[in-house]
Structures are given as C-alpha cells and as structure tokens.
Amino acid sequence: MEITFAVMLLLGCADDTSVCEAAQEVAPKYVSIEACEQDIENKFLQDTRFPTLMAQCLAVPASQDAGPVAIDWQVTDDGRLLANVVDSQRQYAGLKAETATD
C-alpha cells in the first residue's frame, strides 16, 4: 500500500473509556506515521477538556488522497482503540474528519 500522508485520530473519553468523542474537528495531516506519533504527546498536553485522551496515527493510502478522510473507530470493552481509514463514500460507524490543508 502506497501511503500519501498520515492523520491522527484523537479521542476525548470518560475516565473508564465508556464514552468517547472526537477531540478535534480537523484531523492534522502528517508526512508520515512517525511524524504523527511524535506529535501525540503534544496533543495530549494541549487538550485538557477530557479526563482521558486516546490517539492513533493512521496511514492514508493513495486511493483515499482526495477529499475528506473517513475513519472507522471503536473503543473495545478492555479500553483499546481500534481505527482504520475507510472509503469516505461508504457507511461507517466512526468519524469523517476533514484533514488540515497544507
């Protein structure tokens, strides 16, 4: 899979992660997964609205480069964040986030 960029999914959650919501309206755009992962701690320090924050960096394949990025996500019963980029035209359970422009 050829990736064109990476995005960060940042969720704000209750202490027990039973309820989570997107902590940002616009998903930041990064040149690589590594660059995204290096920014996670900064995002955690900047956002104090939620008792618990969860983040995951996701590669965006070249086929999804145009338009908004759709992210299907869920938090499991044991508190793990599972997320992936999906075709923005299909139905999904998670978040459709506009990516930041360059």
Side-chain angles (χ1 to χ4, degrees):
M1 167 181 76
E2 178 185 346
I3 71 163
T4 55
F5 59 91
V7 294
M8 181 188 300
L9 171 63
L10 182 65
L11 300 179
C13 303
D15 278 330
D16 63 359
T17 66
S18 62
V19 177
C20 296
E21 65 183 65
Q24 58 195 9
E25 290 185 26
V26 177
K29 190 174 180 178
Y30 299 89
V31 296
S32 67
I33 291 287
E34 294 79 16
C36 177
E37 289 173 345
Q38 289 175 354
D39 196 31
I40 287 176
E41 186 175 341
N42 290 333
K43 295 294 183 196
F44 282 9
L45 293 173
Q46 292 172 1
D47 196 324
T48 58
R49 299 172 295 155
F50 302 96
T52 302
L53 289 170
M54 304 177 85
Q56 185 172 341
C57 294
L58 303 160
V60 177
S63 62
Q64 295 293 312
D65 193 15
V69 173
I71 301 172
D72 187 22
W73 62 269
Q74 69 175 6
V75 177
T76 64
D77 290 339
D78 62 353
R80 290 182 299 125
L81 172 59
L82 304 176
N84 63 304
V85 174
V86 296
D87 181 345
S88 62
Q89 301 306 310
R90 83 168 208 195
Q91 296 286 37
Y92 55 91
L95 163 76
K96 186 172 184 176
E98 294 287 338
T99 55
T101 56
D102 295 325

